[in-house]
Amino acid sequence: MGKFLSLYPEVTTVGRGRGVEIVLADPTVSRQHAKIRREPDALGEAHYYIYDLGSVNGTYVNEEQIFKQELRDGFEVRLGEMAFVFKEVSGLTSSHR
């Protein structure tokens, strides 16, 4: 079983280098691999999006390579060879890897 990782309120960066909020110690993950950002829609409801930051090995959501993708509960995200499931928990958002 993996562990739960909480996201920062607005933007969370993910990678294996310095200056990211979630560090993944895996050589297939770029130093600054991706960011997850909370963005409001036209009605002001918050949605989470993941952006690839020009990574070498790509960012995938449900096995499709993406540059920007909305995240929904249960979506599988893969950065290099590291994978996690995006979960919304009682109004809080976290990832499980």
Side-chain angles (χ1 to χ4, degrees):
M1 182 166 171
K3 62 181 178 177
F4 285 92
L5 302 169
S6 294
L7 300 177
Y8 282 70
E10 297 302 322
V11 178
T12 304
T13 53
V14 185
R16 66 176 166 81
R18 292 183 179 179
V20 298
E21 286 80 29
I22 297 178
V23 177
L24 302 176
D26 185 292
T28 66
V29 174
S30 294
R31 281 176 243 183
Q32 299 227 350
H33 197 107
K35 71 178 174 182
I36 300 170
R37 182 175 166 173
R38 191 178 97 176
E39 300 177 12
D41 63 15
L43 301 174
E45 189 173 322
H47 297 270
Y48 287 85
Y49 292 85
I50 187 165
Y51 295 81
D52 183 82
L53 298 176
S55 67
V56 172
N57 292 313
T59 299
Y60 295 80
V61 175
N62 296 333
E63 292 304 320
E64 228 176 275
Q65 188 169 14
I66 60 92
F67 295 99
K68 176 186 178 183
Q69 172 69 48
E70 182 178 359
L71 293 174
R72 298 214 175 142
D73 188 60
F75 278 17
E76 182 179 281
V77 177
R78 183 168 52 85
L79 310 177
E81 292 183 12
M82 298 291 294
F84 62 89
V85 175
F86 180 81
K87 298 295 287 176
E88 291 212 38
V89 181
S90 301
L92 300 175
T93 305
S94 64
S95 61
H96 179 255
R97 68 175 173 139

